[in-house]
């Protein structure tokens, strides 16, 4: 993604506008505006083993689960999830929310977003924002350091690589 570029995932109820890309920051950070529809399902609890994630609320009420803390954030509030800490954010109610997200270092997170959003736009994600695991594995979450907590990372990497290979054989490639 280039700074200023916007991508949408209508079924997931999300829109992202790039502020700073891996390329423009020398790999230091990927930063983006994140809009979520009020009825959007938040991403699953996840962990970035080598990335810090910082979320600042711009509008709306955001439910943040980070580590053991579960709280509702208001505009101006920021939550920082250090590398390795399970976390997620999403609308706290039915109103749309806007946030600024930063991941340090950038790694390949923006490519993961682009692939995930492309799967959504191609109709491979349902109205609850969830997709077939074979299809979603083709977004390569393991390369973006997007993992589920409490499951060994080596096992997840191996499983996602296998699902990716199978998913690429499905008809209707992106």
């Amino acid at each position: 993604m280039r700074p200023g570029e916007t991508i949408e995932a209508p079924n997931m109820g999300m829109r992202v506008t790039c502020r700073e890309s891996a390329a423009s920051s020398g790999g230091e950070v990927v930063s983006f505006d994140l809009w979520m529809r009020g009825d959007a399902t938040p991403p699953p609890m996840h962990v970035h083993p080598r990335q810090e994630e910082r979320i600042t609320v711009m509008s709306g009420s955001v439910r943040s689960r980070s580590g053991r803390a579960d709280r509702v954030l208001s505009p101006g509030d920021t939550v920082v999830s250090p590398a390795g800490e399970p976390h997620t954010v999403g609308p706290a109610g039915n109103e749309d929310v806007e946030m600024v997200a930063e991941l340090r270092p950038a790694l390949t997170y923006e490519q993961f977003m682009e692939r995930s959003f492309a799967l959504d736009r191609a109709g491979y994600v349902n109205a609850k924002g969830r997709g077939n695991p074979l299809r979603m594995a083709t977004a390569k979450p393991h390369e973006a350091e997007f993992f589920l907590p409490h499951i060994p990372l080596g096992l997840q990497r191996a499983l996602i690589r296998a699902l990716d290979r199978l998913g690429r054989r499905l008809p209707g490639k992106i």
Side-chain angles (χ1 to χ4, degrees):
M1 289 177 44
R2 293 178 311 279
E5 183 179 351
T6 298
I7 58 174
E8 295 190 50
N11 293 312
M12 286 190 265
M14 295 183 195
R15 180 176 57 239
V16 164
T17 301
C18 181
R19 287 177 165 236
E20 194 164 9
S21 67
S24 69
S25 71
E28 183 179 319
V29 65
V30 60
S31 174
F32 50 92
D33 295 328
L34 171 62
W35 171 87
M36 291 181 76
R37 191 175 58 227
D39 64 349
T41 301
M45 285 292 285
H46 61 278
V47 56
H48 309 288
R50 297 182 296 141
Q51 288 174 300
E52 172 189 273
E53 184 172 321
R54 175 183 302 269
I55 300 287
T56 301
V57 179
M58 304 308 289
S59 70
S61 295
V62 172
R63 180 177 181 211
S64 165
R65 293 171 52 202
S66 184
R68 296 180 188 262
D70 188 344
R71 57 192 173 145
V72 175
L73 305 174
S74 300
D77 290 344
T78 296
V79 62
V80 177
S81 299
E85 182 172 84
H87 63 280
T88 191
V89 294
N94 290 323
E95 66 179 325
D96 297 352
V97 297
E98 293 180 71
M99 301 167 261
V100 174
E102 292 182 357
L103 286 97
R104 294 178 184 273
L107 304 177
T108 63
Y109 196 81
E110 64 197 88
Q111 290 86 355
F112 167 62
M113 284 191 303
E114 289 171 321
R115 291 187 294 259
S116 298
F117 282 34
L119 288 167
D120 180 292
R121 291 189 306 275
Y124 296 123
V125 174
N126 67 25
K128 291 188 176 187
R130 300 291 183 242
N132 175 308
L134 289 176
R135 292 266 187 219
M136 296 313 288
T138 66
K140 300 185 183 289
H142 59 295
E143 291 180 2
E145 295 286 307
F146 187 97
F147 295 100
L148 299 175
H150 314 300
I151 300 172
L153 297 181
L155 176 61
Q156 289 187 68
R157 283 186 177 102
L159 182 58
I160 293 168
R161 278 194 295 270
L163 291 173
D164 177 32
R165 284 193 298 277
L166 290 171
R168 292 189 180 285
R169 294 179 180 174
L170 294 173
K173 297 183 187 215
I174 300 295

